[in-house]
Amino acid sequence: EPNYHVFFNESIRLEGDRAMATSMSFFIVPGPDSLPRIAMMAEYDDVLVRLDGEWKFLRRVVRGLAPAQSGE
């Protein structure tokens, strides 16, 4: 610790009571020298729906783009 999950490049397309969203993320952890390092990068593709006035995730697809390196 501390670990951080940082989201960026969010994009949302609304279509009535449905929305499609994409975003990117880094998972940042302390490295051996205690400085922050990126352990993983991912891309998210989400489908959301509005039910009774609240937005809910219907589906989430996560693609890992940069896996953690072993031995660090």
Side-chain angles (χ1 to χ4, degrees):
E1 289 198 17
N3 300 324
Y4 301 97
H5 200 170
V6 180
F7 286 88
F8 58 97
N9 285 7
E10 297 97 343
S11 174
I12 300 172
R13 188 175 74 238
L14 294 173
E15 294 178 2
D17 287 334
R18 196 173 185 94
M20 280 59 69
T22 60
S23 59
M24 305 287 286
S25 74
F26 286 138
F27 187 62
I28 300 172
V29 299
D33 54 4
S34 296
L35 295 175
R37 72 172 184 87
I38 296 171
M40 189 169 85
M41 182 176 173
E43 179 179 29
Y44 294 79
D45 288 316
D46 301 321
V47 177
L48 302 104
V49 292
R50 185 168 28 200
L51 300 171
D52 299 323
E54 295 182 349
W55 287 98
K56 308 283 184 179
F57 284 92
L58 179 64
R59 180 181 56 137
R60 169 166 270 187
V61 176
V62 181
R63 283 185 290 287
L65 302 176
Q69 297 178 6
S70 61
E72 289 189 30

